[in-house]
Amino acid sequence: MGILGKDNEAVSAQQIGHALQQMKKAHLDEGPPSLEKRLDRLDRAITLLVENSSALAQAVSDDFGNRSIEQTLLADVGSSIATLKHTKAHLAQWMQAQSFDSPFPGTTTRVHYQPLGVVGVVSPWNFPIILAFGPLAGIIAAGNRAMLKPSELTPRTSALLAELIAQHFDEREITVVLGGKDTGTLFSAQPFDHLIFTGSTSVGKHIMRAAAQNLVPVTLELGGKSPVIISRSAPLQTAVQRILTVKTFSAGQICLSPDYVLVPEDALEAFVALAKSAIAQMYPSLKDNQQYTSIINPANFERLQSYLSDARAKGAKVIEINPLNEDLSDSQLRKIAPTLVVDVTDDMLVLQEEIFGPILPIKTYSTFSEAIDFVNQLPRPLAAYYFGENPKEHQQVLERTTSGAVVINDVMTHVFVDDLPFGGVGYSGIGAYHGAQGFKTFSHAKSVLVQSAGGESNLPMRAPYGELTNAVIDSLLQS
Ligand code: NAD
């Protein structure tokens, strides 16, 4: 069965290595899978998700303590199915070789997309379904096999995923390796044909270092502080509603969650008032409200509390939006009310660390350039968001800041558009996937040239050099 590390059994490097060799052998023995075979694998992934959507959503909720079932069905299970269907619909076209013009008469040139072999996938806890099946869609489409190491922080979901994958796929198609950091360390040191990691920037560095030993190419999908800049021209109520819709989704535990907001000085008070009423409408209560998600584990709960203590100690105003003033101190519940932090200074953790929770620092600016400069003083984020109607400011956000993506007048929506490449830049990641980009990331783009019968392009290189070679050199050296 394609599961290693079941029932908390420790997995050794040898076991992972052996399974990988079996998968590599199957890849070489069976050759590149046909379109039909790839579609069949994508179909099996869809069936697995459709038939087990409720069980998966319940497992995720149990792992979180409470995660809104709707949020999992929408953004974790449902979006995985949508991605797999999009992949199926476009696969035949993506697999076509691409022809190019050649400067040499009679030759033909093309790019042939070849499967890489076996791709390793290391996934995080925050969206445990889509961050496994999103990469798998591209990996399967490109004709590869995959070995998946899901997160130990969602043990029920990871175990269920492993069971379901083992039921629907042969172990040489997909194998799941269960375990935590130590297993992740062994896993990322394997000689995969490609390794995709989704997780924190700090672990991303370990992954890249481990992969370097075998020159395994990596795609790193990391985190960071995605800013929202609110323009003076923005309809403030719309901006606040859209920002807080996403900030409270899964209690902000999203890589693309708006991390902090830059507002014009004179809009701060209105922003806070609008935020209070937006939260009261979306979440009239928090404590027993199953639609309001808990923080994944005690360590992350403590981490978020420590950001608030740090901000308070350094003079910030912390505004907890808790419409019924419920007591959320029960550490078993791990719920943190949506919290605004104002009067922030650059030395506070809320402006330094990725928040990954329902805390939103608000920094004010007087000139738009100040806002741009602040974004540029932090590492490059996964996304930058701008609310406003000023075309010059749009342009400045696009051209003067560097981020994985830019979204205007909304936050995060781009992740659901399969045709847009998804990835970070600098500290927020290396490489991209989703849609056609995913197919390309997990393929080897092999250049193929077929020489003409006369082989004319070969002749100028043939010694002894004379008239023909000199004529070609002359033509090349023209300005
Ligand atoms: P994490 O980096 O702690 O863990 C991710 C995975 O890496 C887990 O499977 C874990 O077991 C494994 N791991 C941990 N230490 C390892 C090591 N030394 N070597 C190899 N593997 C190791 O991340 P997390 O806490 O699960 O997720 C939160 C982070 O992920 C946030 O920073 C968030 O922004 C980021 N994230 C990014 C995206 C994206 O698409 N760019 C999506 C979701 C989350």
Side-chain angles (χ1 to χ4, degrees), residues 89-287:
H90 293 84
L91 183 53
Q93 181 208 337
W94 296 341
M95 284 173 68
Q96 295 296 315
Q98 261 179 296
S99 296
F100 293 93
D101 288 342
S102 156
F104 309 120
T107 59
T108 62
T109 47
R110 65 180 192 275
V111 168
H112 172 82
Y113 292 104
Q114 183 175 31
L116 293 168
V118 185
V119 180
V121 182
V122 181
S123 56
W125 52 266
N126 68 321
F127 281 90
I129 320 288
I130 181 66
L131 295 172
F133 279 93
L136 284 175
I139 291 166
I140 293 171
N144 302 291
R145 291 149 198 273
M147 200 179 260
L148 168 69
K149 212 287 295 155
S151 173
E152 70 281 17
L153 298 196
T154 47
R156 297 168 188 82
T157 312
S158 297
L160 180 57
L161 274 179
E163 291 289 338
L164 294 173
I165 287 174
Q167 279 167 23
H168 289 79
F169 291 90
D170 183 272
E171 63 190 352
R172 286 158 307 170
E173 291 179 314
I174 306 179
T175 281
V176 180
V177 181
L178 296 170
K181 181 182 162 205
D182 292 345
T183 305
T185 304
L186 302 178
F187 187 93
S188 52
Q190 296 294 327
F192 291 110
D193 296 302
H194 191 99
L195 181 59
I196 176 165
F197 166 77
T198 306
S200 57
T201 300
S202 59
V203 174
K205 292 180 189 173
H206 292 289
I207 297 276
M208 196 160 172
R209 211 173 287 126
Q213 295 306 318
N214 294 304
L215 286 181
V216 173
V218 289
T219 302
L220 301 180
E221 298 284 341
L222 311 176
K225 294 183 78 61
S226 296
V228 185
I229 307 180
I230 299 195
S231 159
R232 289 197 162 77
S233 64
L236 199 56
Q237 184 173 17
T238 307
V240 169
Q241 281 171 337
R242 291 180 190 170
I243 294 164
L244 290 178
T245 298
V246 175
K247 187 68 188 178
T248 52
F249 198 92
S250 202
Q253 299 166 99
I254 310 182
C255 57
L256 286 168
S257 184
D259 190 273
Y260 63 97
V261 181
L262 291 153
V263 296
E265 281 159 346
D266 48 8
L268 176 63
E269 218 173 294
F271 186 100
V272 172
L274 288 165
K276 286 180 179 168
S277 77
I279 297 296
Q281 275 178 15
M282 287 189 282
Y283 298 99
S285 69
L286 300 169
K287 192 174 178 190

Side-chain angles (χ1 to χ4, degrees), residues 300-312 349:
N300 274 285
F301 186 77
E302 293 307 323
R303 179 182 62 80
L304 290 163
Q305 299 290 359
S306 77
Y307 292 175
L308 293 177
S309 317
D310 172 80
R312 277 195 196 96
L349 292 173

